[in-house]
Each structure stands twice: as C-alpha cells, then as structure tokens.
Amino acid sequence: MIKLKKLEIFNDPIYGFINIPTPLVFSLIAEPSFQRLRRISQMGMSYLVYPGAHHTRFHHALGCMHLMQQAIQILRIKDIEISKEEEEGLLCAILLHDIGHGPFSHAMEHSIVEGVSHEYISLKFMESLNNKFEGKLTTAIAIFKGEYPKKFLNQLVSSQLDIDRLDYLKRDSFYTGVAEGNINSERLITMLNVVNNELVVERKGIYSVEKFLMARRFMYWQVYLHKTGLVAEQLLISILKRAKELLARGEKLACSDALMFFMTNKIGKDNFTESVLNRFASLDDVDILSAIKQWQNSSDFTLSKLSEMILNRELLQIKIKSNPISPEKLEKQRTIFMKAYNLNEQDINYFVYSGTVQNQTYDSKKQNIKIINDNGKVTDVVKASDQLNLKTVSKITTKYYICYPKLTV
C-alpha cells in the first residue's frame, strides 16, 4: 500500500495556496502563542471605517512567510548563496516578527504594558520558543535582531523595503478596498538582488519602488491615520486607562483573569518575566471586547460612556488641522462638555483633548532603498528616480487634531 505524504497548505485570498515548507515552521504555527494571532486584529479599530478590515495578524504572518519563500527562490536563481539553515532562519524570523502584538495590534501597544514595544515582546516569545525547540531558532533570532553577518538577510525582515511591508500594504489594501495601496509585491521581489552584502533593486524595478512608496504614503493618510480610526483607537486607550484608575481606587470591575493581571500590575521591561510572557500570551481582542461589553453598564459615567461609544460607534468628533490647536479652542470645548456631562477638571480629559499624528514616506537617514544601474553603480532610489523628490518623500508631515463629544439635540 502506497502511503501518500500529506501536504500542509493554507488558502490565502491574496496569494492563493501557501505551503508550509518545513516541520519546524509547521510546529511554530501550531504553537498556542502563534494560534493566538488568529484573535488579534491586523488593523486595530479600522473596521469601524472599512467594514472589511477584519483580517488578523495570523493572515499577515503567513503571507509574509509566503513572500519570503519567493524572495529566497529569486535570490538563489541569481546565484546569491542562502544556506538551508539561513532559509529556515529567514522563514521563522518573518513568521514570528509580529507574535508580540497585543490586543488590537498597534492601538493598545503601550496600554497593556508600559514602555514595551511589540518587537521586544516578539523577541521574548522567540527566545522562549528557542528554548523549547532546543536552539533551532538561534539563526532566526540573530536575523530578527539585525545581527546576522549577511546584512541582506536582516534587511529582508526589517528595512524600508522589507517583506513585512510588501505583505501588509497589499493585504490591507485588499481588505479595506482602498485600491491606492495595492502594490505589485511579486514584481518587487523579482527585482531584488544583492550587492556588497546589501539588498538592492535592479534598475528595471524602479517604477515598482516608486509605486510602493506612493502607496505607503496614501495608505497612511487614507487608512492607518484615518481620523475615525484614530479617534476610535484613542477611545480604546482611554477605556483601559479609566478602568485601571478605577481598579486602583479599589472599585470592582469584571474582566478576564489575564486582562485583570495587566490592569492591576505595572508591567515594564524590568519585570517582563517568562511568567508575565505566558500571561500576555493569553490576551487577545476577545478579552478587551468582552470587558468593554461589561463596562458599558458600569456605575462610573466616564467608563460607561466611553465603552458605549466604541460598541455603538458613537465616537467623539475629531477635527484634523495643519496647525496646532489653540489652547483657547480646547478650553472652550472643555467648558461646554464639563457642564453638559457634569464632569470635573480631571475627568473631562477623557472626552476633550488634542494631539498630533505624523507620517514619513521614506526616511533617507535609515537603510536606504538602493537601485543598481545597468553599469553596476548603486544609488539611492530618490536620486535614481525622475519621479520622486527627496524633500517631498522624506518630509515628516505633522497634523494636529482635537477630539470632543458630538452635541446631541
């Protein structure tokens, strides 16, 4: 009797069938800490703006792994040496690069824990898994940290033209329906090469790079920094902050055990132990939404009102300006709603506040995107392009916003 080998595949709406290349990768995907990514939204609260944006970090991680397989294949065809160990290191590094995200991804990055980035937590997860898998992730960790001797391997995982960006722009564009973000990631990968141990793009791929940079600019202003998504994320942060405040006063609030731990303990880098990591691995979007559903019935007006705003999509009004918000305008709104809601000087800050958002398409001071010309000379993409203007794409654009409740008649 012939025993057929079972082929492990995922069906992805962007790329079609994605195959799982090695037993180690398959085992990592099966880990509870990775399966948790199915319950972590890729785009935070953006589904309140774009109803289709319900895809998860799990989708994104698998998509990145698929694109990395393509990149490795292309570079090998061009006689770039990538060993089997380095290949598995790349695949594991990109698969796990976002495993440290907390509930609603970037929206709550510094709300659950303080001053601890998702990259730091991803590294903690990778180190823990490396112990479990007896050192098989050592190469992946070196690549993830940007410390591997072959610089181009590090750049494939983290740079201004990395596999992470090639997937999330295309994926987020697809799920939001914002066509301006749709890039040709396959074309960009096909144009990759390596010169002096660094990743470069062949000259004929320059138009795809231009499109990539412009798509990134559009997606940030149109999607990632959309004013409705922005105010929803601010509300989410405010809800957690208020709940922590009430718990510190000794008031009773219901939520999951995992969430309660982080609500009642101040966790930073200095005390982010293996035990804390295991508790963090129990947290996902479900914990937050479940808590908010209960907190909408809280006796505390502020917590109750903020929770209702999120659940019913009755968000704060937000105005975005090119110039800073004047203190007089802010104070005027504070006075109006302190009376309307009967709030004190401290609690009104949850409903009326100002802030800033920034966007930079291309950081010329970081690892540049380099173009290799037909004569072998390597130049920065902005110098090589007749479409891109360094001043325009490198400029940090700052916008200012003010949030306040909507007046009900």
Side-chain angles (χ1 to χ4, degrees):
M1 184 179 175
I2 299 172
K3 189 176 180 182
L4 296 174
K5 185 180 178 185
K6 188 179 177 185
L7 181 66
E8 301 293 349
I9 57 173
F10 288 92
N11 194 350
D12 183 75
I14 312 288
Y15 310 120
F17 291 117
I18 294 176
N19 73 295
I20 308 305
T22 70
L24 176 59
V25 170
F26 182 82
S27 297
L28 290 172
I29 291 171
E31 280 290 308
S33 55
F34 189 84
Q35 287 293 315
R36 160 185 166 274
L37 296 182
R38 292 181 185 270
R39 304 184 300 278
I40 302 286
S41 169
Q42 167 79 4
M43 292 181 63
M45 304 301 292
S46 292
Y47 67 87
L48 292 176
V49 185
Y50 301 100
H54 276 287
H55 55 303
T56 66
R57 288 280 156 188
F58 186 85
H59 288 115
H60 170 55
L62 291 180
C64 286
M65 185 195 66
H66 173 73
L67 292 183
M68 187 65 82
Q69 286 177 277
Q70 290 187 347
I72 292 166
Q73 185 182 13
I74 289 293
L75 291 176
R76 279 179 172 161
I77 289 170
K78 296 175 183 179
D79 295 325
I80 308 301
E81 188 183 335
I82 300 172
S83 69
K84 279 288 180 186
E85 181 189 325
E86 289 167 344
E87 176 182 9
E88 193 158 67
L90 277 170
L91 294 174
C92 292
I94 200 67
L95 184 74
L96 302 175
H97 78 284
D98 274 346
I99 197 173
H101 268 295
F104 291 100
S105 295
H106 293 286
M108 308 191 71
E109 188 156 347
H110 297 286
S111 298
I112 302 292
V113 289
E114 297 181 25
V116 184
S117 68
H118 76 272
E119 291 93 349
Y120 178 87
I121 301 173
S122 291
L123 181 58
K124 286 289 185 184
F125 272 120
M126 290 172 78
E127 289 170 345
S128 178
L129 289 166
N130 197 33
N131 290 331
K132 181 173 180 177
F133 288 95
E134 300 175 337
K136 290 181 181 175
L137 295 179
T138 302
T139 302
I141 289 170
I143 292 170
F144 180 78
K145 291 167 75 174
E147 296 174 354
Y148 197 75
K150 290 185 179 178
K151 190 176 179 182
F152 72 91
L153 298 184
N154 306 330
Q155 290 173 320
L156 282 169
V157 173
S158 180
S159 65
Q160 293 200 79
L161 186 65
D162 56 31
I163 297 299
D164 175 34
R165 294 182 186 194
L166 293 186
D167 180 79
Y168 79 64
L169 284 174
K170 192 173 184 69
R171 188 168 300 277
D172 296 349
S173 166
F174 176 85
Y175 279 98
T176 56
V178 177
E180 289 84 353
N182 187 18
I183 59 167
N184 192 340
S185 50
E186 290 83 358
R187 167 75 174 168
L188 282 162
I189 287 171
T190 304
M191 293 297 107
L192 292 179
N193 212 322
V194 175
V195 173
N196 297 328
N197 204 28
E198 287 194 282
L199 210 59
V200 296
V201 180
E202 293 165 7
R203 174 76 200 186
K204 54 191 173 183
I206 192 167
Y207 300 117
S208 297
V209 178
E210 291 172 354
K211 171 75 165 38
F212 163 80
L213 289 172
M214 288 302 100
R216 191 164 183 268
R217 178 180 175 82
F218 289 139
M219 285 294 284
Y220 266 86
W221 286 127
Q222 206 167 329
V223 178
Y224 306 130
L225 297 176
H226 188 286
K227 64 177 187 176
T228 306
L230 180 66
V231 77
E233 292 191 354
Q234 290 299 315
L235 281 171
L236 204 56
I237 292 166
S238 294
I239 288 169
L240 270 259
K241 183 181 174 185
R242 182 60 172 185
K244 283 184 178 180
E245 198 177 289
L246 295 173
L247 286 166
R249 288 186 204 163
E251 296 191 28
K252 301 287 184 187
L253 286 179
C255 64
S256 70
D257 292 343
L259 182 56
M260 184 61 78
F261 174 81
F262 289 97
M263 298 292 288
T264 54
N265 290 280
K266 191 174 180 180
I267 302 297
K269 283 185 179 180
D270 56 335
N271 61 346
F272 203 96
T273 61
E274 186 81 11
S275 171
V276 170
L277 184 68
N278 292 334
R279 288 178 183 269
F280 188 86
S282 298
L283 274 181
D284 54 51
D285 293 6
V286 178
D287 295 81
I288 304 299
L289 284 175
S290 175
I292 291 173
K293 284 179 75 176
Q294 294 187 70
W295 296 345
Q296 69 178 322
N297 300 314
S298 170
S299 58
D300 178 73
F301 171 81
T302 300
L303 183 61
S304 172
K305 188 69 175 173
L306 293 172
S307 299
E308 285 178 358
M309 285 178 171
I310 284 283
L311 292 173
N312 302 327
R313 202 190 178 277
E314 295 172 351
L315 308 175
L316 295 173
Q317 193 95 298
I318 179 169
K319 301 286 185 187
I320 294 185
K321 307 287 184 183
S322 298
N323 297 312
I325 307 299
S326 70
E328 294 79 18
K329 186 168 185 178
L330 189 64
E331 192 54 42
K332 180 184 175 184
Q333 294 296 337
R334 283 170 58 86
T335 303
I336 291 170
F337 290 101
M338 276 174 69
K339 280 184 183 176
Y341 286 173
N342 193 26
L343 294 174
N344 59 33
E345 289 275 352
Q346 184 182 355
D347 291 350
I348 193 61
N349 293 328
Y350 284 104
F351 296 96
V352 181
Y353 49 86
S354 60
T356 60
V357 288
Q358 290 186 327
N359 182 22
Q360 184 179 26
T361 304
Y362 181 68
D363 189 348
S364 57
K365 294 175 184 176
K366 280 190 176 179
Q367 293 176 343
N368 296 3
I369 298 174
K370 295 180 178 179
I371 304 294
I372 181 166
N373 295 303
D374 296 336
N375 61 5
K377 185 180 178 183
V378 175
T379 54
D380 183 275
V381 64
V382 177
K383 290 180 181 177
S385 169
D386 55 6
Q387 298 294 321
L388 297 174
N389 180 291
L390 181 63
K391 192 174 180 181
T392 302
V393 296
S394 299
K395 181 184 175 186
I396 298 174
T397 306
T398 303
K399 292 189 179 181
Y400 305 85
Y401 66 85
I402 180 171
C403 298
Y404 51 87
K406 295 174 183 174
L407 280 170
T408 52
V409 180

